[in-house]
Every structure is written in structure tokens, then in C-alpha cells.
Amino acid sequence: MTNPAGTDAVRQTLASFRQEREADWKAFEALLARVEKRAPRTLSEEELLSLPLLYRSALSSLSVARATSLDHALVAYLEALCLRGYFYLYGARRGLRQRIGDFFLHDWPNAIRALWRETLVTVGLTAVGAGAGYWLVASNKGWYDAIIAPSLAGGRNPDSSAAMLRSVLYDGADNQFLSSFAAYLFTHNTQVAILAFALGFAFAVPSVLIILMNGCMLGAIFQIYAAKGLGFELGGWLSIHGTTELFAIALAGAAGMRIGTRIAFPGELTRMAAAAQAGRIAATAMVGVVVMLLFAGLLEGIGRQTITGDGARYAIGGGMLALWCAYFYLLRIVRHGDG
């Protein structure tokens, strides 16, 4: 049988406990709600100073509630309130500007530096693919149609005249078809970058094949221009945006390879843990790849319309490549607190 007198005593104690301290809990909760929804500057100086005091008061109340087992619902409420207070007062809080700044100054360059081995491999695969594509088309014109899709060729083939090939390089601003083709080329390279990253989980094999094939396509196109004495001119046309674009594709492939190789060779970790660890680095790098592709699109759009000199094209392309390399591999800014 229950003891009515004892139950009444507990209720009186709980009511007294709430009456003495509930005002502080509500005040703390209201202040937290304000700073979480808006910003600390919305509070007065007195309110800001009262936050740690109210937090300690809530902790004290939680300790008493737990020790006396007054009310499970009350204990849960105080635990949630104290947890919110802890994360606000002692948790790491960064604004949007600081997060963006940390990404560009620390997170992205660090992720790219961590992928340096995979990046060397993807650059090498691109070079091997380009050499293979050039050699295949030079030895047999039939390989060109096998390597280059008609939609990507834009009407160019080994039998195209030098005048037609030259018009692609220098008449883009006045040719709607060539403008559309350049936009298609950018879209194609973006898709290659995404696929090279996304399919890396299959032990990196698809990423390797995609990078090789992209290199083959580059070599095949170079061959038909070089055969007409326009190899140098094509290099300038591609470099103005291609150094950024091809570097971005190489980094995307490197990110995909990092995930695939960690799944294949997890070491002491489980495959899931190894994939998760690699995925954090690869995902950061891939966000940056999207930024690079946007830059490449701007360079391609502006350069096609306003820059027609070969020297200027090579200067911009080479300058962008040097800028990316310096940013990723030479610039080292120590984050405050990292030592």
C-alpha cells in the first residue's frame, strides 16, 4: 500500500523546489533561445553576464533533481537545458564568414595536399591517355571516331580543313555554334570530374578508366590539329581555361581514387571506417573542385570572346596553373589554435 503522507511530502518538496528555481530556468531558456535564433549582440551586457550564472544554477538544479529523484520529466528537461547551455557557452561557434574563410585558407588546401600521391597518378594517367590517343589517331584515322563522340567533335575530324579548324580557335565570339560547343565542352568536363569522383568507391577502377579515356580524347583532338600545323594554337586555346579544368578533373579523380584504394586496402581499420576517413578528405577536395570548374567556366567564357592572341592565352593558362599550385602546395597558413 502507498503512504499518502509520504506522497504528499514528495509533492510538496517538488513544488517547493520548482517554485524556488523555475524562474531561473525559464530565464536561462529564454536567453538561449534569443542567442540561438539571432546573435549575442541582441542581448544587453547584463544579460550576457548572467548567462554563465544561470548555467551554473541550472547545473546545480540538475544535480539536486538527480540525487533526490524528484521527477523524471524534470530531470530530462534540466539535462536538455544544461546541454544547450554547455554547447553555447563552451562549444566551438563559427560564423558563416569564418567557416568560408577556414575552408579556403585551411580545409581545401590541406585536403589537396593530402591527396598528392593520387594527384600525381591522375596527372600521369592523363598524360599516358593523351599520348595513346595521339598515337592511335596518327596511325589510323578510324580511331578518331571511336574515341571522340560526334557531339563532342563539333564537326571536327581528321579530314577537316585547316581553315575550319582555325575558325574554332579564333572565331568563337562571332559563331553561335562554336559558343554552344564550348558550353557543351565545359559541361562534358564537369561530368567527367563528377564521375571520376563518384565511381571511385569501386576500388578506384572506374576513376582510372575515366581519367585515361579523357586523356585519350585530348590526345586525339591534338593530333588532328597538329597534323594541320595548328598544335601550338590549339594548346593556347585550351590552356586559357584548360589548365584549371584539367587540374580540377585530376583532383576529382584523385579524390575518387583515395576512397577506392582505402576500401581496397583499409589497413588496420574496417573498410567502412577507412572509407569514412577517406571520404572526409575527398569530399572537401570535391567541393573545391566545383569552385575550380566555375573559375574555368568564367575563364572559358571571357577568354573565348575577348582574348585571341596565342601568347596571352598561354600566359593566362600558365599563370592560372602556377596560381593553383602555389595556393595548394606553397601557401601554408597556420590556423589559430593549431600551433
Side-chain angles (χ1 to χ4, degrees):
M1 294 179 62
T2 59
N3 185 351
T7 302
D8 290 341
V10 170
R11 288 177 178 173
Q12 290 176 0
T13 302
L14 177 58
S16 176
F17 180 75
R18 280 183 173 274
Q19 186 176 5
E20 291 176 2
R21 307 200 181 196
E22 191 169 18
D24 288 343
W25 308 337
K26 296 300 182 183
F28 187 41
E29 186 175 20
L31 290 178
L32 285 177
R34 285 172 59 188
V35 295
E36 287 170 349
K37 290 181 179 178
R38 286 176 283 180
R41 63 176 177 271
T42 61
L43 303 184
S44 65
E45 184 176 351
E46 292 182 359
E47 289 173 329
L48 284 172
L49 292 174
S50 70
L51 273 173
L53 299 177
L54 292 172
Y55 171 66
R56 286 194 288 270
S57 175
L59 283 178
S60 175
S61 298
L62 176 60
S63 178
V64 172
R66 282 174 171 172
T68 57
S69 301
L70 290 173
D71 183 356
H72 292 299
L74 178 61
V75 171
Y77 166 75
L78 290 173
E79 285 177 343
L81 181 62
C82 291
L83 187 61
R84 287 174 61 193
Y86 173 81
F87 278 121
Y88 179 77
L89 292 170
Y90 302 107
R93 301 185 305 278
R94 296 187 299 165
L96 180 60
R97 290 183 182 179
Q98 187 176 358
R99 291 179 182 180
I100 294 174
D102 284 346
F103 174 80
F104 283 103
L105 293 177
H106 307 286
D107 300 340
W108 184 19
N110 289 342
I112 299 302
R113 283 194 289 270
L115 296 172
W116 69 270
R117 293 181 182 86
E118 292 87 350
T119 303
L120 285 177
V121 172
T122 54
V123 170
L125 288 172
T126 301
V128 170
Y134 189 99
W135 179 78
L136 288 171
V137 175
S139 61
N140 186 345
K141 293 181 180 180
W143 278 104
Y144 183 82
D145 292 331
I147 296 173
I148 305 294
S151 55
L152 185 60
R156 298 168 298 178
N157 58 64
D159 297 323
S160 298
S161 66
M164 185 271 183
L165 294 176
R166 180 180 290 275
S167 68
V168 175
L169 306 180
Y170 299 104
D171 298 339
D174 302 320
N175 191 314
Q176 184 62 38
F177 167 76
L178 295 178
S179 297
S180 300
F181 168 71
Y184 173 82
L185 186 64
F186 170 74
T187 303
H188 166 79
N189 287 332
T190 302
Q191 292 173 343
V192 168
I194 293 173
L195 286 174
F197 168 71
L199 297 179
F201 72 92
F203 304 112
V205 174
S207 297
V208 170
L209 295 177
I210 289 171
I211 296 296
L212 277 173
M213 190 60 200
N214 197 60
C216 279
M217 293 164 55
L218 182 64
I221 292 176
F222 252 105
Q223 198 284 325
I224 66 170
Y225 273 87
K228 298 297 191 297
L230 296 171
F232 178 82
E233 290 80 356
L234 176 66
W237 184 78
L238 287 176
S239 69
I240 193 170
H241 59 91
T243 52
T244 298
E245 209 162 82
L246 292 174
F247 195 9
I249 292 174
L251 293 175
M257 289 182 65
R258 167 60 68 94
I259 296 175
T261 53
R262 288 298 184 271
I263 293 175
F265 307 103
E268 297 180 357
L269 301 174
T270 65
R271 279 191 165 84
M272 288 298 295
Q277 186 182 74
R280 286 189 287 270
I281 295 174
T284 301
M286 198 58 195
V287 172
V289 166
V290 174
V291 175
M292 293 180 70
L293 290 172
L294 291 174
F295 266 102
L298 291 173
L299 289 169
E300 195 277 335
I302 297 173
R304 185 185 67 247
Q305 298 181 29
T306 60
I307 302 173
T308 57
D310 294 328
R313 287 174 170 177
Y314 274 106
I316 293 174
M320 288 304 302
L321 180 60
L323 180 64
W324 290 121
C325 289
Y327 171 58
F328 291 136
Y329 303 111
L330 299 180
L331 180 65
R332 301 290 182 98
I333 299 178
V334 179
R335 192 199 306 265
H336 180 70
D338 288 350

